[in-house]
Amino acid sequence: MTYTGRCACGAVTLAIAGAPITARQCWCRQCQQIAAGGPTHNAMFATQDVTIAGDLSGHEYVAASGNTITQSFCTACGTPVMGQSSARPQFRVIRLGTLDTPHDIKPLMAIWTEDAPVWAVIDPTLEQFPRQPPPPSTPNPS
């Protein structure tokens, strides 16, 4: 399974040579800020499967989980591209909006739902976690 993608201006490109570990929507406050009030929609891939070309800039912060998160975005257009947790260097969290369509990835869970605004509509068929979900299994080396 392979995926490709790009930022809005095309200055950053992605090539992913593997299946997602999981896919989810995140309602934490930081994700709401970068997603204009809604959740971010993300797929988690093994770090070694993700190749990114182009200039990224990043912003680090300590999340409510206690982990240091680095949000990476295109320096030219500002498109959010990727998130990285200090607790899980073996994974890259790719924003679904950067992936070329069509693709087969859809969220399987909603996380940090306790931070969702009162008007949020969360798909009841998704597995839900009020805060941080348990870590996914480490992928087998390729």
Side-chain angles (χ1 to χ4, degrees):
M1 180 143 318
T2 62
Y3 298 94
T4 58
R6 67 200 76 258
C7 65
C9 74
V12 173
T13 59
L14 297 93
I16 304 168
I21 310 302
T22 190
R24 55 199 188 179
Q25 61 177 213
C26 182
W27 285 95
C28 77
R29 285 297 301 141
Q30 290 85 5
C31 281
Q32 289 178 54
Q33 289 172 330
I34 66 172
T40 59
H41 296 87
N42 313 291
M44 184 179 290
F45 292 93
T47 295
Q48 72 267 11
D49 291 343
V50 178
T51 302
I52 299 176
D55 292 330
L56 291 175
S57 190
H59 166 72
E60 283 189 358
Y61 60 91
V62 176
S65 64
N67 300 320
T68 299
I69 305 296
T70 303
Q71 300 285 359
S72 297
F73 53 91
C74 173
T75 58
C77 67
T79 298
V81 174
M82 180 183 73
Q84 172 77 46
S85 172
S86 61
R88 296 177 210 34
Q90 71 274 30
F91 301 123
R92 297 287 188 263
V93 178
I94 303 298
R95 308 294 175 222
L96 290 184
T98 63
L99 296 179
D100 293 332
T101 57
H103 63 75
D104 59 350
I105 303 172
K106 63 181 182 178
L108 303 172
M109 66 180 74
I111 65 173
W112 290 94
T113 57
E114 73 178 26
D115 287 352
V118 296
W119 49 262
V121 178
I122 301 172
D123 183 342
T125 65
L126 296 178
E127 185 175 16
Q128 295 184 29
F129 295 90
R131 294 181 59 85
Q132 186 72 22
S137 300
T138 302
N140 295 327
S142 298

